[in-house]
Amino acid sequence: FTIGPTVNITELWYLKKLNYTYIPEENGVRIDTLNGFTRATTYTTGASLSTRIYGTFQMKPGKKVQAIRHTIIPTVSFGYTPDFTTEKFDYFQDVQVDSLGNRQLLSRYNGFVFGSPTQGNSGSIGFSLQNTVEMKVKKSDTSSTSKKVHILRNLGVSTSYNLIADSFNLANIRIVATTSILDNLIDFNAGFTIDPYIYELVGPIDENGRVSQRRVNKFAWNNGQGLGSLASANFSLNTRLDPQTLR
């Protein structure tokens, strides 16, 4: 078992920050620039736990393929990010924005070159499962030496669950697959993103045949819709054309 604690700290240094003031006579917000050194520190903490599970299938003696090994790597991780919009950090300002009394959190570093701290906190548990399948084969029928060949470099599934969010706690499910063909001459990569929540129709179909949908906080597998809906997919082929590879 491997345990990995992590702490990530981001430090932003600026020579100015913004200050917001609501002006009733203009029904708008005035933005002033306050010069002087200012810093914004954000951090995330977390830990991960992983292990490796091996399964080996030995082939009969005399075969070119000597063995096949399947490796499974399950990982569970936890990450926490506090809410940096609270008053003690002074990274955001709670400002009235109109005559109706509506208020909004505005960043004191909005539009700055190195960015601004983000809003909201999160406490999530991540899950991932990686699979690798390899073959041990003889280099030739007369050779006593062998080499390792990847059948499947990785078949991975990952997602996370936000413990703090009030809805849509489960993140999209990501599936990736990578392998090599023609003795590592070509690398094949594929990726799929699955949305685990259902969508409901909103309103009738328009004259162009389009419909409006809204995401609902219900899992697809609880409504007979399988794992979810396909949100995106990507495929790629990579090759290396050099004398050593071609030989």
Side-chain angles (χ1 to χ4, degrees), residues 198-202 212-217:
I198 67 173
Y199 286 80
E200 292 182 349
L201 296 180
V202 180
S212 298
Q213 295 180 322
R214 65 182 179 92
R215 199 173 186 227
V216 181
N217 191 33

Side-chain angles (χ1 to χ4, degrees), residues 12 14 40-42 84 91-92 107 109 115-119:
L12 300 175
Y14 291 115
T41 305
T42 58
F84 293 105
Y91 301 158
F92 292 83
S107 172
Y109 309 99
S116 168
T118 57
Q119 297 188 37

Side-chain angles (χ1 to χ4, degrees), residues 90-135:
D90 195 30
Y91 301 158
F92 292 83
Q93 190 177 345
D94 187 11
V95 186
Q96 180 179 340
V97 294
D98 57 30
S99 58
L100 299 177
N102 294 317
R103 306 187 69 84
Q104 187 176 344
L105 281 174
L106 301 178
S107 172
R108 291 188 177 274
Y109 309 99
N110 184 41
F112 283 21
V113 62
F114 297 115
S116 168
T118 57
Q119 297 188 37
N121 58 349
S122 67
S124 61
I125 298 178
F127 309 92
S128 68
L129 186 67
Q130 293 178 291
N131 294 270
T132 301
V133 181
E134 301 167 313
M135 284 194 310

